[in-house]
Amino acid sequence: MASSSERAEALELLQSQNEEGPCFECYHRGKPVLSEDLAADCGRWPTFAPAAIQTGFRSVHAIPMRVRGGTVGAMNLFRSEPGRIGEADLSLGQGMADIAAIGLLQERTVRESRGVIAELQGALNSRVVIEQAKGMLAESAGIGVDAAFARLRGYARNHNRRLSDVAHDLIEGRLEAVTLAFTSS
């Protein structure tokens, strides 16, 4: 949710909280919603319309934000006077809504990809620690790397711990290699 003014932002939040208003209706219908006179639409939107009027708005046009035929949001164009928005302005508003929709989806894609990257980095870091712990245990206990991994894994399983946490404890000296050397896999 974004807004060009604090007045409009409060109304957007009100619509979201009360699930009523032109933006809410536009989003769910996927079609433009118009109120040429909010005073006449108090019955239609009993919470939103009086609040909008009190804020200084007299009419509103909600435009769907669409991408590939799907509605991903809605944008309100408020007026301080009753009446319609001109066709040229309405076309411009729809173009702005469509551009904003693309921007929102791109931002979401970037945010999601950052999450995936963070997860992959965490997995890689965990793997590096496990490999270090395997090497330390294999060297200390005089066993092969596969056997060291089996003992680390067995200890983690027997103590209901994550393998990477056990590996960290071994590397940082909180867990003795000798304890792991005699753990069954």
Side-chain angles (χ1 to χ4, degrees), residues 91-150:
S91 293
L92 180 61
Q94 184 63 65
M96 289 172 44
D98 292 341
I99 290 169
I102 292 167
L104 287 172
L105 290 180
Q106 286 178 334
E107 186 276 333
R108 183 183 340 168
T109 300
V110 167
R111 188 173 4 102
E112 288 171 355
S113 68
R114 284 184 184 144
V116 169
I117 290 169
E119 286 177 26
L120 290 173
Q121 187 62 51
L124 180 60
N125 293 343
S126 175
R127 191 70 208 165
V128 166
V129 167
I130 292 167
E131 291 299 320
Q132 288 174 340
K134 282 170 39 179
M136 284 179 65
L137 182 57
E139 178 65 27
S140 327
I143 58 176
V145 177
D146 290 340
F149 179 69

